[in-house]
Structure formats: structure tokens, C-alpha cells
Amino acid sequence: MDLALLRTFVTVHRAGSFTRAAALLGLSQPAVTSQIRTLERQLGRPLFLRQARGVTPTSIGDELAHKAAPHLDALVEIAETGLDDDSSLRTLHLAGPPEFTAERALPALTELTGEDGQGFALRASFGNVEETLEGLSAGHHDLAISTARPRGALLTATALCDEEHVLVAAPRWAEQIGAGQPDRKPEPALEQVPVVEVHESLPFVSRYWASVFDSRPAAPGTVVVPDLRAVLACAIAGAGLAVLPRYLCVAALERGDVVALHEPAVPPLRTYFLVVRTGTLAMPHIARAHEWLQRAAADWC
């Protein structure tokens, strides 16, 4: 059986789409369709059911993918390990949310760049969850950091770490509303404070309110800026309250630039995932970055 046909088949199986598989393989869609039809003729059985949006594998298709994919991934690993002896650096394309990628991932990965025979060049791009996972699926990125676990066989996710969310504001707001006083309920007092957020929908504040108070925030966003680092700067300047990852505001808390307005017994958490296209961990530079970030994350939690 032709290995090229099997490679195309496994890519379609993981992508769930001839179009997406063609983009990943660098082939035209008719070429992918032709290869799948050739393989189906050789086997005498259909491998996919064509649908309005993409394809779904038949039971024979699932069985063939289960048997063939690990061996194809092993062949890729052998080939890529050989390429790793080349004097030129491989390039790792990383994507993720701007703040976490800049503050956590990039400082860790820059230790792996350079010309030590095992390093790689690094290219990073920022985006929201949808943009990041779509770019990874299309082959624009090698490794993505996401706050959502993707569905389907094309992408494989590994839990990386959890971040704790903290409700903070400048000290004058804490004094004004009497934050931390045992005889005062925090939620009504907090309604007096303007809100600083990254989007009009108040994603961080709304998640905090739902988790901690089982309600929705009453105040609208007063300052909306699309970067958590800017949110922190505005909170320090006294613009209002903000919900921020602890890693991002821990230094400001230690300096007293902001204070925690509420300390729930169980703080809200958000999980980050490392995501790759299934099978690409056979490539040494992707596997090394993936493992390195997991090790680094042990000190982030």
C-alpha cells in the first residue's frame, strides 16, 4: 500500500475535511479526493462518508486510522530526527494569548533558542482562542496555548497549568467601600466601583461574579482595553476594579499598588492547554518545546 496514500488518509481522518487536509499537505483538494478514492478502490470499502461540512470516517476508516497513524507518526519522527542534524535551525511557530505568552511562555522558550545543535528559531503570534486554534488547524502554527480544550481528532491538547483570578483595585477603592471588613457583604459594596475589562462583555469580571457570588456584575465596563497588562495599569491608576490572573498582578499586590478586594475560600481558576496538531509531536523541535513548557509550568502554579 502506498505510504503517500496512507499519509493523506490519516490527515483527512484527523482534519475531518478534504479541504483542511489539502491545506495541511500542500496539495489541491482534487488531489486529496483522488488519493482517497484510489485507496478506497484498493481496499474495496468506503473510508469516509461525505457530508455538507467535511467528512466522517466509516468503521473501516476508523479501524485503518487506528492501525496506520502510529506507524506513520513513527516514520515522521525518524525522518525529522535525521533532519535535526542539519546545521540550519528549525523554526517553531508559537501562538497564544498575548499576556500569558509574553509573560510566561516566551521567557521560558527563549532558553531553547540559539545555535547549540538542539535549539530552534522562534516566531510568536498573539490571538484569541478561536484565532489561535484556527491558525493551528490550518498549519500556520506548530504549537498553541489555549484556554479551551479543542474537540475533534485534528488537535491534541495537554493541560499545562491553572491560573488563579484575583479581584483587585487601587487602595483608595478598598478604603472607600470598606473591603475586608467582616460585617460587610462584599458584593453590594463592589457595585459602587467602576469596572476595567478587556471586552464590553466583561469576560473576567462576569466569570468571577458567577463563580464567587453566583450572580452577574451590575456595573458596566468603564474602561475597556484589549490587554490584561493595560487593565492592570488602569487599575493601579485608580480607574476601577479588575479581575486579573495572580501571576500578572502579584508584583503590584506586593508593592501595594493594588489590593485584593475579596479573598474567596475557593478562588476562580482558568486552565491553559498546550495544543498541537495530532502527530506533530514526532517533530523534535515541537516535542522539545512542548516538554520544556510543561516543565516550566510546574513553577507557575
Side-chain angles (χ1 to χ4, degrees):
M1 189 176 293
D2 189 338
L3 286 178
L5 297 182
L6 279 178
R7 177 170 177 257
T8 298
F9 160 74
V10 168
T11 304
V12 173
H13 186 273
R14 288 171 170 168
S17 162
F18 284 0
T19 302
R20 180 166 284 174
L24 291 172
L25 292 166
L27 301 173
S28 66
Q29 183 176 334
V32 169
T33 301
S34 176
Q35 289 188 21
I36 296 300
R37 286 176 178 169
T38 298
L39 188 57
E40 288 177 329
R41 284 196 298 269
Q42 291 179 2
L43 296 173
R45 302 288 292 274
L47 297 173
F48 296 104
L49 299 176
R50 280 67 169 175
Q51 298 181 333
R53 293 186 176 182
V55 294
T56 56
T58 63
S59 58
I60 296 297
D62 273 334
E63 183 180 352
L64 178 60
H66 179 73
K67 292 179 178 179
H71 300 290
L72 287 170
D73 292 342
L75 288 173
V76 170
E77 183 173 7
I78 292 171
E80 292 292 333
T81 301
L83 288 173
D84 219 34
D85 295 332
D86 196 313
S87 60
S88 61
L89 288 175
R90 304 301 300 273
T91 299
L92 178 79
H93 295 271
L94 174 73
E99 305 88 358
F100 186 88
T101 304
E103 299 289 331
R104 293 298 204 195
L106 287 176
L109 287 177
T110 51
E111 298 182 38
L112 298 182
T113 60
E115 300 181 5
D116 61 355
Q118 294 183 331
F120 49 74
L122 181 60
R123 301 291 183 271
S125 61
F126 301 145
N128 59 34
V129 172
E130 293 77 13
E131 293 167 344
T132 297
L133 295 181
E134 184 178 337
L136 180 65
S137 298
H140 302 317
H141 317 308
D142 300 315
L143 180 62
I145 299 169
S146 171
T147 54
R149 184 188 292 274
R151 296 179 179 179
L154 179 60
L155 303 179
T156 299
T158 304
L160 180 63
C161 65
D162 293 329
E163 69 174 15
E164 176 188 343
H165 286 179
V166 188
L167 179 61
V168 301
R172 71 176 181 86
W173 285 112
E175 296 172 3
Q176 181 171 324
I177 66 174
Q181 295 181 12
D183 59 337
R184 298 195 64 175
K185 291 184 177 181
E187 187 181 0
L190 291 171
E191 293 179 2
Q192 307 171 29
V193 187
V195 173
V196 186
E197 256 284 12
V198 295
H199 191 271
E200 297 287 353
S201 63
L202 310 185
F204 284 83
V205 172
S206 294
R207 190 183 301 116
Y208 188 97
W209 252 247
S211 175
V212 175
F213 303 126
D214 194 24
S215 66
R216 294 182 178 182
T222 299
V223 178
V224 176
V225 286
D227 189 296
L228 288 173
R229 291 162 296 191
V231 169
L232 173 59
C234 292
I236 291 173
L241 65 79
V243 174
L244 294 166
R246 183 173 289 277
Y247 79 84
L248 194 63
C249 63
V250 63
L253 286 167
E254 291 173 351
R255 293 191 304 265
D257 295 337
V258 293
V259 297
L261 296 181
H262 184 52
E263 295 281 2
V266 181
L269 300 175
R270 183 168 68 165
T271 301
Y272 284 96
F273 298 92
L274 280 181
V275 190
V276 296
R277 287 188 304 283
T278 303
T280 57
L281 284 179
M283 299 180 180
H285 67 303
I286 298 178
R288 191 173 183 216
H290 191 276
E291 181 182 3
W292 194 268
L293 284 174
Q294 286 184 289
R295 290 181 180 179
D299 296 327
W300 299 342
C301 300

